[in-house]
Structures are given as structure tokens and as C-alpha cells.
Amino acid sequence: MGSNSSRIGDLPKNEYLKKLSGTESVSENDPFWNQLLSFSFPAPTSSTELKLLEEATISVCRSLVVNNPRTGNLGALIKVFLSRTKELKLSAECQNHIFIWQTHNALFIICCLLKAFICEMSEEELQLHFTYEEKAPGSYSSDSEDLLEELLCCLMQLITDIPLLDITYEISVEAVSTMVVFLSCQLFHKEVLRQSISHKYLMRGRCLPYTSKLVKTLLYNFIRQEKPPPPGAQVLPQQSEGGGLLYGLASGVATGLWTVFTLGGVGSKAAASPELASPLANQSLLLLLVLANLTDAADAPNPYRQAIMSFKNTQDSSPFPSSIPHTFQINFNSLYTALCEQQTSDQATLLLYTLLHQNSNVRTYMLARTDMENLVLPILEILYHVEERNSHHVYMALIILLILTEDDGFNRSIHEVILKNITWYSERVLTEISLGSLLILVVIRTIQYNMTRTRDKYLHTNCLAALANMSAQFRSLHQYAAQRIISLFSLLSKKHNKVLEQATQSLRGSLSSNDVPLPDYAQDLNVIEEVIRMMLEIINSCLTNSLHHNPNLVYALLYKRDLFEQFRTHPSFQDIMQNIDLVITFFSSRLLQAGAELSVERVLEIIKQGAVALPKDRLKNNRTRKVPVLSTHFTDVNTRHITSEGQSQDWNPGGLTPELLLTTASHDTPI
């Protein structure tokens, strides 16, 4: 590095890096730093090139690890950066390109070294490296122990206070990325960190007052989606699209970090990385998610999570409760628009889930919107393209639907929104359909995909829970949606019969061979029957609460009425079959009275007339049964379900909600 442009292959031999990592101490006032920081660097464009960068600099980093206790050069570099940041705001106002460029380069080197140090040593050793000064080997001064805290505070100030201009865009991205790298210590620990240096500095002390301002800035960075400046307008030499070198370095760290912190780590295929229009928005979002999912300290809650849970709309003039710290206001309309537009990335979907689940102000605002289709349609697209998404993204999208369908107003309003020409739905041309019917179609398709591919019973149950939440408010179901509900029941019925037949044959075979262990068909039957019962309860809830609004469902029910015969006398379904059997019998009788050779239009007309004539008190309202929620996160799952607020409640068809899963472990029990 230095005044000339550097290449990755030249880094191990670079004289300036050798001096930085060598045995000679360099004073923070030495002209060497101006020479070291006057470099340009071609940005790697692939993970292979990023790996080459790490391999090329590993000798430099290891040399610095060995020599830094004697030289204190890491501390000197950080002090050079800190001294420059004090003039950064003025330099931005004065358009001092060279000064900002060199300050950016200093931060770039610090971040690269920080990443290498974190990979190689414990947190205690890392913290010690920030205390070494130019003294005898291994000595340090107590008055410099807060250099790391000073660096973090400086980064927070840089992110929140430096105006975002063309010449400051890159250094803003690097500041956010450096904080992400700093928080990557969790990646190298199997246990959850509760007493890490991140807790020590970020959750108390000098960094704490910046909490709300930092969260607000990161949110606005995500909202604004500022693109990198065009070539020639930025302070650094032209970078490849998608961000600079350090952005690529930290982006991989950040993606792994929020996955580990919030979704349980590995186990699903990686999501494809889309072309990033705004590296600053993407990195800000990743940092925000990592901060929000830090564990609480032993003696204090996570202040960043508190800020995310409590911020309000700028139009909300009510006073802030004194008991809630770190709160602020933000434009909810802009936030809503950004969330609707960015759901192609799983990190944006995680932010949406986090806000809906934890911030009641955001949830209330979104549920009151009259354009909910702008938010729901991208979520449905995620579920529709389930085979192209990783399991984390699919689960988060499904959980968002569960949160939304807890609200009866949402369940009613989605049937009033009429959509035209849904081009991404390829199974059938949908020229006109309600948002509610489309939601039903996509969720049922997800269930059927799961039955043939992943065979995850928890995904089944959560999908059915969303339908159950909606069932009492089904209105004017599209004929195709009604058909798919009955078709799903038909598929489950066939699977039930197949497993029952296998169990019978296995039992007969066991009479002649006592040594062969029997497959656990009883467990399979129990799972399938539980899902069948949920389907019957969904149908029953719709018939009980909105029969006259859904002639297409009654039509589909009558057309496939033979499916329900075997369940009329089944001891597990007799109670829930009473209403369905009554509806089938009542409308079948009216159709017989009308004669043969009836057209579809005439049948629907008879159904509509019959729905008015059928006394409502003849349908029993079965709302007391408790439905098991099959999730690894539940206790006593056979008798209770858990709401999104963590409260155990009796099940009712209009309010079933499983615990909002934060991990998506692989499950062994198929369905």
C-alpha cells in the first residue's frame, strides 16, 4: 500500500504493511501514516477474491499479532484514525477529498486487522491488544484501556453525525461494516455470549447514550436506500457495483451473524445474493438486526432491542412514557414503503417480523393501512416460490402471516381487496381474485409442496394455523380457492387411508414374525389425524360463521361429499363432523328437490337461497377444543397453543397462533 495503487498479490511484500506489522514502533505523529494511508485498492468482485485477500494478508496479520505487544502499532493506527475523525465533519463540509480518503483507508485497515484478530484469538486477548503501547514487551498502560470503547463511540458518532454526501458515502459504509465485524465474536463461540466485550461497551458506558440515535440512523439508511455515488463523484477510485472491498469483507460476516443470532445457524440452503442497489442500506440493516438480537446483559436488558420495540410514528404526538428508555420517532409511512419494496431479501423480512412482533406501534399502524396488499403480496410471493427460498425466509414469511391473521380486521379486509392478473401465480390464470382467496391458495400450495418434499409437520401446522385464524372471516371465496381447500382435504384423506392400510398389513405380518420391529404407524396416524381435524375445524368455522358468504365452498363440499363419509363415525371426528354433515344433508336435499340436470349457475343459486333458509341455531359453534401446536418450542403441546405474546390460550377457530419460531431446526417426524 502507499501512494500507488495496490494489488492483492503485492500485499505480503508491501513495505508499508511490513513496517506496520514489524518490530519497529511507529509514533502516531510519524509521517509514515500519510504514506501508508495514500492507497487505492481494486475491489474484489467474488468470494474467491475475498479469500485471496485474507490469504495474502495473513502473514502481515500474524506478524502484527506477535509484534504488537512490543510496538503498540495497532493502538497507534487507531489513534491516527480517531484524531482524523474529529475533523471529518468539517472536511466533508469543505469537500476535502484527500483527508476523507485517507481516513477511510485507515478504517479499512483497522477493520481488516480486526477481522483477522477476532478469528485468531479470544476476546480477552483482543482487548489486550488495544492496550499495548510502545514500551517493554507485553506492557500496557491502564489509562489506555478504553481505546476500544473510544473506537466504538467514534464509529457510532461517524454513523450518526457525519452528513451522507457523495464523498462520505464509502466511509459511512465502512463504519457500519466495522461495527458488524466487531460483533462477529459470537461466530467463534458455541455458547451464547452474555458477558462479551460487546456487552461491556455497547450496553453501558459511553456508547449507551448513542443507542436511540444509532438505531434511528440505521433505520433511515434502510428506508432511504441511498445508492453509491456515480463514478467521479466519490472520494475513492471507482469501485465495482455492489460496494467496496470492505463492504464485501463484512457482508459475509454480517449475513452469518444474523443467521446465527436469530435463526439457529446452519441447516438450510443459502439464499441467492441479489444485486445490491444500496450497500449502505444493506449493511445498516444487517447491523441493526445483529444489535437487536444481542442477548441481554446479566444486569441490563439489550438497549437496542428496547429502542426497536418502542419507537413511534412522527405523527404520534403523545408523550414518551418515562419508563421506556431509548425511544424515538420515525416516519412510519416511509418505513412501510421500504419494507414493502425490500421483501426479496430475507434480512428485510426478518426486520418486518421483528417490528410486527415486538413493536406494537408499528403493528397497529400496519394493520390500519388501507393498502395492505402492498405488504402481503411480497410475502405471498416468498411462500409461492418456496423451492427457491431458504427455510429461514419461508418460516419468517409464514410467521408474518400468522401475526397479521391474529387481527380480525385484517382477516375481513383482505377479502375486500380485489386483485387483477397475478402474473407470478402460474398454476391457473387468475384474472380477478380477492387478496384473501389468493392468500388461501398460496398457503395451501405451501402445504402441498411440504407434503411431497420437505415433510415438515411443523410447517404444516403453522400453515393451517394461518388458515384457522382467517376461517371465521372467509368471505366470497374464489371458486378455485374453495376447490383447493377441499382438494387438500382429499389429499390428506388418501394419505390417512394409505397409512391405515400399511399399519393393518404390518400388524398382520407381525403375527408370523415376532422378531421384526414394527414401524411406528400409530404415531404417523396420530399426526395425520391431527392435521385432518384442523382442516375439518377450518371448514366448520367457515360454515358456522359465514355460510351465506361462501356459496363456492358449499358447492365444492357437495361435489366431494363422498370424502367425508368415512369420518362421520370416526371417534376422533364425530363432534366436528356434525355441522359439516348437516350442511351436506341440508343442501343435498334441496338440490334433489330442484331436479336433475342442474347447471352450475342454478346450483349456486339454490345454495344461496338455502344459506338464507338454514336456521343459524342448527349449526353448533365448536370453539372450546384445544388444538396442539406441533413445535419444538412448546411445552404441553397436546392441550395448549401459544400466542405471539407468549401467552397460553384455549384454541378457537378465529384466534389460533403458534409460538413465533426463532429457530428452524430440522424435524424427523414426516407427514
Side-chain angles (χ1 to χ4, degrees), residues 284-314:
S284 296
L285 175 55
L286 292 172
L287 176 58
L288 181 66
L289 292 170
V290 173
L291 288 171
N293 287 283
L294 288 174
T295 56
D296 293 336
D299 56 348
N302 180 347
Y304 304 95
R305 187 182 302 122
Q306 286 183 320
I308 287 175
M309 291 173 62
S310 59
F311 70 82
K312 302 193 304 181
N313 194 355
T314 50

mmCIF file of all heavy atoms in Angstrom, residues 284-314:
data_model
loop_
_atom_site.group_PDB
_atom_site.id
_atom_site.type_symbol
_atom_site.label_atom_id
_atom_site.label_comp_id
_atom_site.label_asym_id
_atom_site.label_seq_id
_atom_site.Cartn_x
_atom_site.Cartn_y
_atom_site.Cartn_z
ATOM 1 N N SER A 284 -26.463 -1.433 6.954
ATOM 2 C CA SER A 284 -27.166 -0.841 8.095
ATOM 3 C C SER A 284 -28.232 -1.793 8.617
ATOM 4 O O SER A 284 -28.411 -1.933 9.836
ATOM 5 C CB SER A 284 -27.802 0.490 7.686
ATOM 6 O OG SER A 284 -26.831 1.446 7.338
ATOM 7 N N LEU A 285 -28.924 -2.453 7.700
ATOM 8 C CA LEU A 285 -29.951 -3.409 8.109
ATOM 9 C C LEU A 285 -29.331 -4.590 8.839
ATOM 10 O O LEU A 285 -29.835 -5.033 9.886
ATOM 11 C CB LEU A 285 -30.723 -3.887 6.873
ATOM 12 C CG LEU A 285 -31.770 -4.980 7.095
ATOM 13 C CD1 LEU A 285 -32.781 -4.565 8.158
ATOM 14 C CD2 LEU A 285 -32.471 -5.320 5.791
ATOM 15 N N LEU A 286 -28.230 -5.104 8.329
ATOM 16 C CA LEU A 286 -27.567 -6.228 8.982
ATOM 17 C C LEU A 286 -27.067 -5.848 10.372
ATOM 18 O O LEU A 286 -27.230 -6.604 11.336
ATOM 19 C CB LEU A 286 -26.402 -6.721 8.119
ATOM 20 C CG LEU A 286 -26.794 -7.379 6.789
ATOM 21 C CD1 LEU A 286 -25.556 -7.644 5.942
ATOM 22 C CD2 LEU A 286 -27.561 -8.667 7.010
ATOM 23 N N LEU A 287 -26.474 -4.670 10.501
ATOM 24 C CA LEU A 287 -26.014 -4.220 11.815
ATOM 25 C C LEU A 287 -27.184 -4.046 12.771
ATOM 26 O O LEU A 287 -27.111 -4.433 13.948
ATOM 27 C CB LEU A 287 -25.240 -2.907 11.681
ATOM 28 C CG LEU A 287 -24.787 -2.261 12.998
ATOM 29 C CD1 LEU A 287 -23.903 -3.218 13.802
ATOM 30 C CD2 LEU A 287 -24.056 -0.947 12.735
ATOM 31 N N LEU A 288 -28.273 -3.489 12.280
ATOM 32 C CA LEU A 288 -29.459 -3.290 13.115
ATOM 33 C C LEU A 288 -29.980 -4.622 13.640
ATOM 34 O O LEU A 288 -30.326 -4.755 14.826
ATOM 35 C CB LEU A 288 -30.539 -2.578 12.297
ATOM 36 C CG LEU A 288 -31.846 -2.263 13.018
ATOM 37 C CD1 LEU A 288 -31.618 -1.252 14.126
ATOM 38 C CD2 LEU A 288 -32.881 -1.740 12.020
ATOM 39 N N LEU A 289 -30.032 -5.636 12.788
ATOM 40 C CA LEU A 289 -30.530 -6.948 13.205
ATOM 41 C C LEU A 289 -29.601 -7.607 14.214
ATOM 42 O O LEU A 289 -30.056 -8.232 15.179
ATOM 43 C CB LEU A 289 -30.703 -7.842 11.974
ATOM 44 C CG LEU A 289 -31.816 -7.435 11.009
ATOM 45 C CD1 LEU A 289 -31.729 -8.252 9.721
ATOM 46 C CD2 LEU A 289 -33.184 -7.594 11.646
ATOM 47 N N VAL A 290 -28.311 -7.469 13.998
ATOM 48 C CA VAL A 290 -27.356 -8.057 14.941
ATOM 49 C C VAL A 290 -27.466 -7.373 16.304
ATOM 50 O O VAL A 290 -27.499 -8.033 17.346
ATOM 51 C CB VAL A 290 -25.920 -7.959 14.394
ATOM 52 C CG1 VAL A 290 -24.920 -8.410 15.446
ATOM 53 C CG2 VAL A 290 -25.766 -8.812 13.138
ATOM 54 N N LEU A 291 -27.548 -6.046 16.308
ATOM 55 C CA LEU A 291 -27.690 -5.315 17.571
ATOM 56 C C LEU A 291 -28.981 -5.696 18.291
ATOM 57 O O LEU A 291 -29.002 -5.899 19.509
ATOM 58 C CB LEU A 291 -27.673 -3.802 17.311
ATOM 59 C CG LEU A 291 -26.333 -3.189 16.913
ATOM 60 C CD1 LEU A 291 -26.519 -1.744 16.466
ATOM 61 C CD2 LEU A 291 -25.336 -3.258 18.057
ATOM 62 N N ALA A 292 -30.063 -5.807 17.530
ATOM 63 C CA ALA A 292 -31.363 -6.119 18.137
ATOM 64 C C ALA A 292 -31.397 -7.509 18.739
ATOM 65 O O ALA A 292 -32.156 -7.760 19.676
ATOM 66 C CB ALA A 292 -32.476 -5.980 17.094
ATOM 67 N N ASN A 293 -30.578 -8.405 18.220
ATOM 68 C CA ASN A 293 -30.616 -9.790 18.683
ATOM 69 C C ASN A 293 -29.459 -10.148 19.608
ATOM 70 O O ASN A 293 -29.273 -11.332 19.927
ATOM 71 C CB ASN A 293 -30.640 -10.739 17.474
ATOM 72 C CG ASN A 293 -31.982 -10.734 16.784
ATOM 73 O OD1 ASN A 293 -32.938 -11.330 17.256
ATOM 74 N ND2 ASN A 293 -32.072 -10.029 15.669
ATOM 75 N N LEU A 294 -28.701 -9.158 20.050
ATOM 76 C CA LEU A 294 -27.736 -9.417 21.114
ATOM 77 C C LEU A 294 -28.486 -9.856 22.376
ATOM 78 O O LEU A 294 -29.566 -9.343 22.681
ATOM 79 C CB LEU A 294 -26.933 -8.155 21.425
ATOM 80 C CG LEU A 294 -25.896 -7.694 20.393
ATOM 81 C CD1 LEU A 294 -25.312 -6.351 20.804
ATOM 82 C CD2 LEU A 294 -24.798 -8.730 20.234
ATOM 83 N N THR A 295 -27.922 -10.793 23.080
ATOM 84 C CA THR A 295 -28.564 -11.243 24.312
ATOM 85 C C THR A 295 -28.490 -10.139 25.368
ATOM 86 O O THR A 295 -27.594 -9.295 25.350
ATOM 87 C CB THR A 295 -27.880 -12.501 24.862
ATOM 88 O OG1 THR A 295 -26.478 -12.221 25.049
ATOM 89 C CG2 THR A 295 -28.034 -13.659 23.906
ATOM 90 N N ASP A 296 -29.439 -10.159 26.279
ATOM 91 C CA ASP A 296 -29.411 -9.203 27.386
ATOM 92 C C ASP A 296 -28.167 -9.437 28.235
ATOM 93 O O ASP A 296 -27.715 -10.572 28.404
ATOM 94 C CB ASP A 296 -30.651 -9.362 28.263
ATOM 95 C CG ASP A 296 -31.926 -8.967 27.536
ATOM 96 O OD1 ASP A 296 -31.833 -8.170 26.586
ATOM 97 O OD2 ASP A 296 -33.004 -9.465 27.914
ATOM 98 N N ALA A 297 -27.631 -8.364 28.750
ATOM 99 C CA ALA A 297 -26.522 -8.490 29.692
ATOM 100 C C ALA A 297 -27.046 -9.048 31.012
ATOM 101 O O ALA A 297 -28.251 -9.074 31.260
ATOM 102 C CB ALA A 297 -25.857 -7.138 29.911
ATOM 103 N N ALA A 298 -26.126 -9.490 31.849
ATOM 104 C CA ALA A 298 -26.537 -10.097 33.119
ATOM 105 C C ALA A 298 -27.298 -9.120 33.993
ATOM 106 O O ALA A 298 -28.193 -9.509 34.751
ATOM 107 C CB ALA A 298 -25.311 -10.628 33.859
ATOM 108 N N ASP A 299 -26.965 -7.845 33.872
ATOM 109 C CA ASP A 299 -27.578 -6.852 34.757
ATOM 110 C C ASP A 299 -28.376 -5.790 34.022
ATOM 111 O O ASP A 299 -28.808 -4.805 34.616
ATOM 112 C CB ASP A 299 -26.489 -6.163 35.578
ATOM 113 C CG ASP A 299 -25.411 -5.539 34.687
ATOM 114 O OD1 ASP A 299 -25.403 -5.833 33.476
ATOM 115 O OD2 ASP A 299 -24.583 -4.769 35.202
ATOM 116 N N ALA A 300 -28.573 -5.964 32.710
ATOM 117 C CA ALA A 300 -29.297 -4.935 31.955
ATOM 118 C C ALA A 300 -29.874 -5.538 30.679
ATOM 119 O O ALA A 300 -29.230 -6.383 30.040
ATOM 120 C CB ALA A 300 -28.364 -3.777 31.616
ATOM 121 N N PRO A 301 -31.076 -5.092 30.276
ATOM 122 C CA PRO A 301 -31.637 -5.565 29.007
ATOM 123 C C PRO A 301 -30.908 -4.937 27.826
ATOM 124 O O PRO A 301 -30.210 -3.923 27.971
ATOM 125 C CB PRO A 301 -33.091 -5.092 29.080
ATOM 126 C CG PRO A 301 -33.061 -3.903 29.982
ATOM 127 C CD PRO A 301 -31.981 -4.178 30.984
ATOM 128 N N ASN A 302 -31.079 -5.537 26.665
ATOM 129 C CA ASN A 302 -30.461 -5.033 25.443
ATOM 130 C C ASN A 302 -31.101 -3.689 25.079
ATOM 131 O O ASN A 302 -32.276 -3.638 24.723
ATOM 132 C CB ASN A 302 -30.673 -6.051 24.317
ATOM 133 C CG ASN A 302 -30.065 -5.604 23.005
ATOM 134 O OD1 ASN A 302 -29.693 -4.454 22.825
ATOM 135 N ND2 ASN A 302 -29.985 -6.526 22.058
ATOM 136 N N PRO A 303 -30.360 -2.576 25.138
ATOM 137 C CA PRO A 303 -30.968 -1.268 24.860
ATOM 138 C C PRO A 303 -31.376 -1.097 23.405
ATOM 139 O O PRO A 303 -32.306 -0.343 23.108
ATOM 140 C CB PRO A 303 -29.862 -0.282 25.256
ATOM 141 C CG PRO A 303 -28.592 -1.056 25.103
ATOM 142 C CD PRO A 303 -28.935 -2.469 25.470
ATOM 143 N N TYR A 304 -30.696 -1.789 22.486
ATOM 144 C CA TYR A 304 -31.024 -1.663 21.064
ATOM 145 C C TYR A 304 -32.357 -2.349 20.769
ATOM 146 O O TYR A 304 -33.145 -1.857 19.959
ATOM 147 C CB TYR A 304 -29.886 -2.237 20.220
ATOM 148 C CG TYR A 304 -28.572 -1.570 20.549
ATOM 149 C CD1 TYR A 304 -27.692 -2.137 21.480
ATOM 150 C CD2 TYR A 304 -28.229 -0.350 19.980
ATOM 151 C CE1 TYR A 304 -26.506 -1.502 21.820
ATOM 152 C CE2 TYR A 304 -27.041 0.289 20.311
ATOM 153 C CZ TYR A 304 -26.187 -0.292 21.234
ATOM 154 O OH TYR A 304 -25.033 0.350 21.570
ATOM 155 N N ARG A 305 -32.594 -3.475 21.433
ATOM 156 C CA ARG A 305 -33.900 -4.119 21.295
ATOM 157 C C ARG A 305 -34.989 -3.239 21.911
ATOM 158 O O ARG A 305 -36.094 -3.137 21.369
ATOM 159 C CB ARG A 305 -33.894 -5.493 21.956
ATOM 160 C CG ARG A 305 -35.189 -6.279 21.688
ATOM 161 C CD ARG A 305 -35.212 -7.613 22.383
ATOM 162 N NE ARG A 305 -34.080 -8.436 21.974
ATOM 163 C CZ ARG A 305 -33.179 -8.922 22.806
ATOM 164 N NH1 ARG A 305 -33.272 -8.688 24.103
ATOM 165 N NH2 ARG A 305 -32.183 -9.654 22.364
ATOM 166 N N GLN A 306 -34.681 -2.606 23.034
ATOM 167 C CA GLN A 306 -35.648 -1.695 23.646
ATOM 168 C C GLN A 306 -36.000 -0.551 22.697
ATOM 169 O O GLN A 306 -37.168 -0.162 22.593
ATOM 170 C CB GLN A 306 -35.076 -1.129 24.950
ATOM 171 C CG GLN A 306 -35.042 -2.116 26.113
ATOM 172 C CD GLN A 306 -34.535 -1.465 27.391
ATOM 173 O OE1 GLN A 306 -33.612 -0.663 27.370
ATOM 174 N NE2 GLN A 306 -35.154 -1.802 28.514
ATOM 175 N N ALA A 307 -35.008 -0.015 22.010
ATOM 176 C CA ALA A 307 -35.258 1.078 21.065
ATOM 177 C C ALA A 307 -36.141 0.614 19.920
ATOM 178 O O ALA A 307 -37.068 1.327 19.498
ATOM 179 C CB ALA A 307 -33.928 1.616 20.534
ATOM 180 N N ILE A 308 -35.869 -0.590 19.406
ATOM 181 C CA ILE A 308 -36.666 -1.120 18.303
ATOM 182 C C ILE A 308 -38.097 -1.417 18.749
ATOM 183 O O ILE A 308 -39.053 -1.263 17.987
ATOM 184 C CB ILE A 308 -35.987 -2.382 17.732
ATOM 185 C CG1 ILE A 308 -34.748 -1.987 16.939
ATOM 186 C CG2 ILE A 308 -36.941 -3.185 16.851
ATOM 187 C CD1 ILE A 308 -33.935 -3.138 16.422
ATOM 188 N N MET A 309 -38.267 -1.818 19.983
ATOM 189 C CA MET A 309 -39.593 -2.168 20.490
ATOM 190 C C MET A 309 -40.469 -0.953 20.780
ATOM 191 O O MET A 309 -41.698 -1.079 20.830
ATOM 192 C CB MET A 309 -39.456 -2.994 21.779
ATOM 193 C CG MET A 309 -38.892 -4.382 21.587
ATOM 194 S SD MET A 309 -38.571 -5.223 23.159
ATOM 195 C CE MET A 309 -40.228 -5.298 23.848
ATOM 196 N N SER A 310 -39.868 0.221 20.946
ATOM 197 C CA SER A 310 -40.640 1.337 21.493
ATOM 198 C C SER A 310 -40.738 2.571 20.603
ATOM 199 O O SER A 310 -41.465 3.501 20.950
ATOM 200 C CB SER A 310 -40.037 1.756 22.838
ATOM 201 O OG SER A 310 -38.672 2.154 22.682
ATOM 202 N N PHE A 311 -40.043 2.633 19.467
ATOM 203 C CA PHE A 311 -40.101 3.873 18.693
ATOM 204 C C PHE A 311 -41.506 4.093 18.117
ATOM 205 O O PHE A 311 -42.266 3.170 17.901
ATOM 206 C CB PHE A 311 -39.028 3.907 17.607
ATOM 207 C CG PHE A 311 -39.228 2.960 16.453
ATOM 208 C CD1 PHE A 311 -40.061 3.277 15.391
ATOM 209 C CD2 PHE A 311 -38.547 1.738 16.409
ATOM 210 C CE1 PHE A 311 -40.226 2.418 14.316
ATOM 211 C CE2 PHE A 311 -38.700 0.872 15.344
ATOM 212 C CZ PHE A 311 -39.552 1.212 14.300
ATOM 213 N N LYS A 312 -41.822 5.372 17.877
ATOM 214 C CA LYS A 312 -43.175 5.754 17.479
ATOM 215 C C LYS A 312 -43.171 6.489 16.146
ATOM 216 O O LYS A 312 -42.127 6.897 15.635
ATOM 217 C CB LYS A 312 -43.811 6.652 18.547
ATOM 218 C CG LYS A 312 -43.893 6.038 19.940
ATOM 219 C CD LYS A 312 -44.820 6.847 20.845
ATOM 220 C CE LYS A 312 -44.404 8.296 20.943
ATOM 221 N NZ LYS A 312 -45.285 9.065 21.848
ATOM 222 N N ASN A 313 -44.363 6.709 15.622
ATOM 223 C CA ASN A 313 -44.551 7.451 14.386
ATOM 224 C C ASN A 313 -44.303 8.937 14.631
ATOM 225 O O ASN A 313 -44.607 9.467 15.699
ATOM 226 C CB ASN A 313 -45.987 7.237 13.883
ATOM 227 C CG ASN A 313 -46.164 7.690 12.441
ATOM 228 O OD1 ASN A 313 -45.254 8.241 11.831
ATOM 229 N ND2 ASN A 313 -47.342 7.458 11.904
ATOM 230 N N THR A 314 -43.763 9.620 13.627
ATOM 231 C CA THR A 314 -43.543 11.060 13.762
ATOM 232 C C THR A 314 -44.854 11.815 13.926
ATOM 233 O O THR A 314 -44.867 12.941 14.446
ATOM 234 C CB THR A 314 -42.797 11.608 12.532
ATOM 235 O OG1 THR A 314 -43.461 11.154 11.336
ATOM 236 C CG2 THR A 314 -41.362 11.124 12.501
#
